[in-house]
């Protein structure tokens, strides 16, 4: 949600492959005259972005605008297929779309850091080679690149310490 | 008195890395925190977890008052996002201070610290809502984006320390 809000404030779509058109000339003039920014940042009253939230689901989480502001959001997102006169400015990906790669990468890192905090240090005692270490890290942190696995270790002081205690630091 | 937040990364082993982090890592992490705080604030989002977006300006409801009242002097100032920025002096004065246990991030310049405290606590007397932007109370923490940036900065510092041996 934080990344969405930061992107939107810069008038940039957080959705991969999407970019936003500039505001219509007349609307831009009116927006500025009313004291708002002339950039397409989806903000006038701010009520719609204030309503951005998330829900826990069985599979994970769902990010969206679910209440009385949902119709405004749909006007920009065009998920329902209902026509209106505003151009599409997606700030949440539709089915089949993704967030931009930097946002996706951060989400993956959050998940692997969570896993890194729960590594069983005892298993490290059986490791002798760099290949074994990365195989084990892949097993517990997920199928990530060697660089991402190494970074996950370095972002996690407890795991780094466990690796040092097991005498495996030079294998990283 | 300054308005500040202590940024601490718990680390108990690896002496050479600890030394490197003490010498350089803490300062770098403090700078990363400031940069990320500014990004969040610029988008109208409190850098303090669970505070969400900053409350709207009263002028938005009333149709008059700040910031509409300063539009001539500051034409770029708009009603949204609420970004704690007029001249920019207060946010420019966000700074780091090295401490024994790590680094503090805050507004230390006395003139700007007064302004910062008013935003941080709110001032009903002048109709200023609380817009908390520094996690200064016990139990308060930075938003996820900032804690992520701290961890990434920490990882980079550890990586450099390991490469130096």
């Amino acid at each position: 949600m934080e990344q969405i809000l930061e992107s939107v404030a810069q008038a940039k779509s957080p959705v991969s492959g999407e970019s936003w058109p500039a505001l219509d000339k007349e609307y831009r003039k009116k927006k500025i005259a009313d004291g708002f920014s002339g950039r397409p940042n989806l903000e006038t009253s701010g009520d719609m972005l204030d309503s951005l939230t998330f829900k826990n689901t069985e599979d994970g989480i769902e990010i969206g605008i679910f209440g009385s502001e949902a119709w405004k959001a749909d006007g920009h997102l065009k998920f329902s297929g209902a026509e209106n006169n505003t151009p599409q400015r997606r700030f949440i990906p539709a089915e089949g779309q993704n967030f931009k790669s930097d946002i996706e990468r951060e989400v993956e890192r959050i998940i692997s850091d969570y896993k890194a905090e729960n590594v069983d240090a005892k298993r490290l005692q059986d490791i002798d080679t760099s290949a074994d270490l990365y195989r084990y890290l892949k097993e517990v942190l997920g199928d990530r690149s060697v660089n991402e696995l190494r970074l996950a270790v370095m972002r996690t002081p407890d795991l780094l310490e466990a690796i040092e205690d097991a005498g495996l630091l030079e294998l990283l | 008195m300054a308005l500040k937040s202590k940024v601490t990364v718990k680390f108990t082993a690896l002496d050479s890395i600890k030394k490197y982090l003490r010498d350089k890592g803490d300062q770098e992490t403090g700078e990363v925190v400031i940069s990320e705080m500014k990004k969040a604030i610029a988008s109208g989002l409190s850098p303090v977890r669970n505070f969400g977006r900053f409350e709207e300006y009263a002028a938005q409801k009333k149709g008059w008052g700040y910031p509409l009242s300063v539009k001539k002097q500051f034409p770029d100032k708009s009603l949204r996002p609420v970004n704690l920025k007029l001249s920019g002096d207060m946010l420019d004065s966000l700074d780091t201070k090295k401490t024994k246990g790590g680094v503090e991030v805050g507004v230390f310049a006395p003139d700007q610290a007064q302004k910062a405290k008013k935003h941080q606590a709110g001032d009903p007397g002048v109709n200023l809502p609380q817009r908390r932007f520094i996690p200064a109370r016990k139990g308060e923490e930075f938003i996820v984006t900032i804690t992520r940036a701290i961890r990434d900065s920490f990882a980079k510092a550890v990586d450099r320390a390991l490469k130096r041996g």
Side-chain angles (χ1 to χ4, degrees), chain A residues 2 35 45 117 150 161 164, chain B residues 12 14 60 79 145 151 159:
Chain A
E2 293 164 14
S45 72
E117 281 163 8
R150 192 167 184 271
E161 205 177 319
E164 200 239 2
Chain B
T12 54
L14 310 168
Q60 197 173 322
L79 283 162
T145 305
R151 287 184 85 142
D159 191 30

Side-chain angles (χ1 to χ4, degrees), chain A residues 87-100:
Chain A
Q88 177 174 304
R89 291 189 182 96
R90 282 203 173 138
F91 55 96
I92 296 170
E95 226 172 290
Q97 285 188 309
N98 291 311
F99 281 112
K100 287 195 167 145

Side-chain angles (χ1 to χ4, degrees), chain B residues 94-115:
Chain B
L94 269 169
D95 205 357
T96 62
K97 216 181 223 184
K98 204 157 168 46
T99 65
K100 205 177 164 192
V103 64
E104 278 176 351
V105 172
V107 177
F108 302 100
D111 57 328
Q112 299 304 323
Q114 282 306 315
K115 224 189 272 181

